[in-house]
Amino acid sequence: LVENCSFENKPQAPAGKEGSSIFQVSVDSLNPGYNILRSCSFKDHTAPPNAGGDYGMEALRIGYSFQAKFISRTLVEYCYFTKCNGDGEIISNKARQNVIRYNTFFDNGESHLTLRHGGENVVYGNFFTGGAGIRIKEGQHQMVYNNYFNTGDFFSIRLENYRIDPLDDIRIAYNTFAGSGPMRLGGKGDFKPKNVGIYGNLFI
């Protein structure tokens, strides 16, 4: 359990040594961690000018790419992420069966929550304002519901699909989109996602 902690102003890495996330959760191949990250603040983690979107300073990374099939069961709740644009991904999910709920993402620019690898993850009850929303890049049986998006000119939902871990059975339901940027359902990746259900959402 990590609770009521504040992570602010991570120093920028020297050139050629980027790639360290603020908070890393490793995943065991046999035993789920049942980790809890609760009521924490991540603030002012920025990349150098012109660093690009893959500088490697994610606020939170759950697993590594080679751990995509491992079950983590990490719970991230009631956390606050603001000005976390040290990487294109604020939270980079790379494992299975995690829950991300009741968090606030504010003023993060193009950076966003990403379901990268792994499946059976649930994202609900989160607020995305003044910055991008959720990108679902890989994995199966992902659920995104009851979130609030007010992303301005930035995308709210973005689906991609890659051969290494193709999208299948994605549910986007009962979310509220108020003054949000586009929902991008494809256009990048190896081929079209399969079995995507979008229903019960409110668009204002």
Side-chain angles (χ1 to χ4, degrees):
L1 170 65
V2 178
E3 189 172 28
N4 297 325
C5 293
S6 180
F7 303 88
E8 297 187 13
N9 295 301
K10 184 179 188 298
Q12 294 177 354
K17 295 186 178 181
E18 61 274 5
S20 58
S21 58
I22 313 303
F23 196 99
Q24 174 73 49
V25 177
S26 293
V27 186
D28 187 79
S29 61
L30 299 177
N31 301 303
Y34 293 99
N35 311 287
I36 299 174
L37 184 66
R38 177 185 293 143
S39 300
C40 292
S41 173
F42 293 82
K43 183 179 179 182
D44 293 330
H45 302 296
T46 59
N50 305 314
D54 195 23
Y55 186 66
M57 241 166 67
E58 300 97 331
L60 170 62
R61 186 165 55 207
I62 305 173
Y64 295 95
S65 296
F66 71 90
Q67 298 173 334
K69 301 301 181 184
F70 299 173
I71 295 174
S72 178
R73 293 184 185 153
T74 293
L75 173 63
V76 182
E77 62 179 3
Y78 302 109
C79 292
Y80 191 81
F81 300 85
T82 183
K83 290 185 170 62
C84 291
N85 58 351
D87 190 83
E89 301 173 7
I90 302 169
I91 297 179
S92 184
N93 183 94
K94 297 182 176 181
R96 293 173 55 200
Q97 297 184 13
N98 300 305
V99 175
I100 301 170
R101 66 182 185 181
Y102 309 142
N103 303 286
T104 298
F105 298 82
F106 174 71
D107 195 20
N108 294 298
E110 296 180 353
S111 298
H112 47 275
L113 188 162
T114 301
L115 300 180
R116 279 285 297 270
H117 301 294
E120 299 134 25
N121 296 291
V122 181
V123 180
Y124 73 91
N126 301 283
F127 291 83
F128 298 87
T129 63
I134 300 173
R135 178 174 63 139
I136 307 174
K137 184 177 179 182
E138 290 146 331
Q140 303 80 43
H141 316 298
Q142 314 277 34
M143 295 181 62
V144 175
Y145 67 93
N146 281 356
N147 299 284
Y148 178 86
F149 298 89
N150 187 347
T151 61
D153 294 332
F154 301 101
F155 71 84
S156 52
I157 299 280
R158 178 175 168 183
L159 299 185
E160 299 178 4
N161 196 32
Y162 292 90
R163 204 174 304 276
I164 188 172
D165 194 7
L167 294 186
D168 192 359
D169 187 27
I170 310 300
R171 295 290 172 260
I172 301 170
Y174 308 114
N175 301 284
T176 297
F177 299 86
S180 283
M183 182 183 289
R184 299 176 181 170
L185 306 178
K188 187 174 182 180
D190 297 324
F191 46 83
K192 293 180 180 179
K194 294 170 57 180
N195 300 320
V196 177
I198 302 173
Y199 50 87
N201 299 285
L202 175 63
F203 296 88
I204 303 173

